[in-house]
């Protein structure tokens, strides 16, 4: 799956191998849960992304089928680290 441009602008990426939504902000790199406005809250609270930049995100996320971080496979060494992000799955 290709990451929609609107997600890329917000620092989000869909890992095509795992189908997880990854926050690519430099201080983050976590796989995000897409349930009940978790992505909106994450961008607002952790990265201070303004409301006008997040406009339409909930609607967009409803159109994309994503895996839940809890369903993601652990790294090859057995750790919960996401192989593409280098960080623990949030």
């Amino acid at each position: 799956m290709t990451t929609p441009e609107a997600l890329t602008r917000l620092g989000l990426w869909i890992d095509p191998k795992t189908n997880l939504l990854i926050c690519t902000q430099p201080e983050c790199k976590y796989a995000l849960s897409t349930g009940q406005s978790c992505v909106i809250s994450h961008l607002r609270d952790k990265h201070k992304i303004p409301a006008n930049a997040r406009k339409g995100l909930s609607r967009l996320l409803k159109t994309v089928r994503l895996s839940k971080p809890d369903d993601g496979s652990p790294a090859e060494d057995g750790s919960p680290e996401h192989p593409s992000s280098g960080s623990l799955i949030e």
Side-chain angles (χ1 to χ4, degrees):
M1 169 182 288
T2 304
T3 303
E5 177 65 28
L7 294 179
T8 303
R9 283 193 306 265
L10 291 169
L12 301 172
W13 172 67
I14 299 171
D15 181 332
K17 184 176 178 182
T18 62
N19 207 39
L20 291 171
L21 184 65
I22 309 294
C23 178
T24 63
Q25 299 285 337
E27 67 280 2
C28 194
K29 308 274 191 238
Y30 283 93
L32 302 175
S33 172
T34 56
Q36 301 214 1
S37 72
C38 293
V39 176
I40 303 286
S41 299
H42 176 84
L43 293 174
R44 180 190 63 225
D45 300 341
K46 184 163 179 125
H47 304 299
K48 310 298 185 224
I49 304 291
N52 62 334
R54 294 181 273 112
K55 186 176 182 176
L57 181 57
S58 292
R59 195 171 336 116
L60 173 62
L61 290 173
K62 288 178 184 177
T63 68
V64 182
R65 290 186 168 222
L66 297 167
S67 299
K68 297 176 186 175
D70 291 343
D71 296 340
S73 301
E76 289 179 14
D77 66 0
S79 73
E81 185 174 291
H82 187 273
S84 298
S85 68
S87 297
L88 296 177
I89 295 174
E90 182 175 79

